[in-house]
Every structure is written in structure tokens, then in C-alpha cells.
Amino acid sequence: MSPSTAEQRALAIVESGAIIAREATAPRAAGDADAPWDLAALHAVADGFELADRTRVLGREASAKATAWLIEEKSLDWDADLLVIGERDDVVIVHDRDRGGARAGGGVLEAPTDALSSFRRVALDALSYLEIRAGIEGDPVIAPERAAREAGERGDVTALAAAIDRGFYPGASRELAHAALRLGALRSATGDEAGALDAFTRSATARAAAVPRGAEPAELAAAWRAAAVVAEMAGSPSIAAACRARASP
């Protein structure tokens, strides 16, 4: 995305009716040239602001200080690409640049203040995150986790499969398991046995990844029993039988 387009989006956010307080832009600093494109766009139009929903977005210096303080105060083992960019009530808003591509592309994360390593990805970039919170019409990039939820709710098999294939953020195993189970149910309803079993396998694998070591076999069996139930409910006894067979020791 070009800087001009990104700054136009950032300006639309800070000039929207959702903003109740706004700090003037700060003088450019030496490290600004290396800033992520979305944060650079925000810093170009305001050095922090607050939304009516109590979301507070920090400026450049405040973000760096808040990140350093939290890491030291809470003894956090955070990657260097994680940066606190805001807060809302009991939630800390974190930007993950993920330059190494180790965390599904990173994005904007939320974590409760009492569990600061339990991240939930809510957007792929800060501008999309704030456009959604500010209620600005447009076409923000939707994170795979949210895209999967919305596709599952409307029963869109193609969109749900595509969202799952984009990759979920680390720690979202249960969310992935639910999305894949829903995909399996939708495919079962159309008689797509191979597709349904593939989705159920992804669901079971994700569930097993979310439990402590040693508990995986029991969790896999439980996942396949759950798959059998949803396949039966979707009107496919043959797929349900295949799932029950996989649930057996």
C-alpha cells in the first residue's frame, strides 16, 4: 500500500466522529523510517488519540515506553516485533510486525491485562482494526480468524475453507478447531465425504494441539466423536460412521 493511500485512511480515522481526543503529530524521529507502514501512517497524522468506545491509541514514544515497561514489570518473554499500541478497559492492544513470518503474518492482537501472552488476533493491520472500531465504511482487510467466523455463520463453504487456509495466529488452535468442524459439517451436508473428513482431521489436529502433552490421544478421540455427531446432524450417516471409526482406539 502506498504511503499516500495509507495516510488518507489514517486521516479518515482520526477525523471521524468516533475520535474524542487527539494529540498533534510529533516531530519525526530517527527510527521512523523503519516503522511498519500502518503505524507510520497513523503517526503521520496524530501522535495518539482516543475513540468513544474507550480505545486509546498510543503515540510513537508512548508505545515504546509502554512496551518496555510491561515487558520488565510482568517479566514477559515477548518477541522484539511485538509493540503495545493501545489499550481499552482491561485489554492491551499489541502490534505484531512478524518480520520473520513465524506467526501467520502478525497483525493487531488483543490480550487481557491479566494474561499478556494470551493473544487473540483481531485484525491484520492497525488501520483495518481502527476502521472497524470507528465504524468507517470501506474494505478493511479481515483477519482469517474473523473471516472464518463470519463465513461459518452464513454457511459459505468456499469462504470458510479459504479463511482456514490463510492460517490462524499461534494460540488460536481452539478457534481453528471450531472453524474446521463447521467446515466439515457443511461439507457433510453436501455429501462431500473426502472434503468433510479432511476438515474434521484439521479440527481434531487443532484440538490435540491445544491440550497438555500426553492428553492428545484422548482429545483426538473426543474430536472425532464430536465430528461424528455433527456429520449425523448434517444428514450424512456414512461420514458419521467414518468419524466414529477414527474415534476408536
Side-chain angles (χ1 to χ4, degrees):
M1 180 173 294
S2 68
S4 59
T5 301
E7 286 188 20
Q8 288 171 3
R9 291 174 64 191
L11 191 61
I13 291 167
V14 300
E15 291 185 345
S16 73
I19 305 302
I20 59 174
R22 171 183 173 186
E23 297 291 334
T25 56
R28 292 191 177 275
D32 288 353
D34 188 47
W37 67 270
D38 51 345
L39 298 186
L42 286 173
H43 296 157
V45 298
D47 195 46
F49 50 91
E50 185 174 354
L51 281 71
D53 68 356
R54 298 191 299 278
T55 297
R56 180 179 171 228
V57 178
L58 303 175
R60 287 183 299 234
E61 186 175 346
S63 283
K65 288 182 177 179
T67 304
W69 181 85
L70 268 183
I71 290 174
E72 181 177 359
E73 182 72 13
K74 304 295 183 180
S75 300
L76 300 173
D77 184 23
W78 277 12
D79 186 276
D81 277 349
L82 297 178
L83 177 72
V84 175
I85 61 169
E87 61 184 356
R88 183 181 61 261
D89 298 332
D90 293 328
V91 170
V92 173
I93 305 165
V94 177
H95 185 283
D96 182 3
R97 191 172 185 178
D98 190 24
R99 280 173 284 197
R103 294 178 298 279
V108 177
L109 321 172
E110 290 184 345
T113 53
D114 58 355
L116 289 169
S117 292
S118 298
F119 297 119
R120 174 174 174 265
R121 182 164 61 179
V122 290
L124 292 182
D125 63 83
L127 299 185
S128 295
Y129 174 74
L130 292 167
E131 285 168 343
I132 293 169
R133 297 215 67 86
I136 294 176
E137 292 187 8
D139 190 24
V141 180
I142 304 299
E145 296 85 353
R146 177 178 173 180
R149 286 195 303 273
E150 294 179 351
E153 289 170 359
R154 64 178 184 268
D156 188 331
V157 176
T158 301
L160 178 53
I164 291 173
D165 286 341
R166 287 167 62 194
F168 281 26
Y169 197 81
S173 295
R174 293 199 176 278
E175 203 169 357
L176 173 58
H178 178 77
L181 184 68
R182 175 61 174 153
L183 178 59
L186 293 171
R187 286 174 170 172
S188 294
T190 64
D192 179 4
E193 181 168 350
L197 291 176
D198 177 71
F200 289 143
T201 298
R202 296 182 76 164
S203 179
T205 301
R207 280 186 57 167
V211 299
R213 182 174 298 178
E216 296 95 339
E219 191 68 18
L220 282 170
W224 281 109
R225 288 194 294 271
V229 170
V230 299
E232 194 83 58
M233 293 176 63
S236 182
S238 62
I239 296 177
C243 292
R244 281 192 291 271
R246 297 189 182 200
S248 301

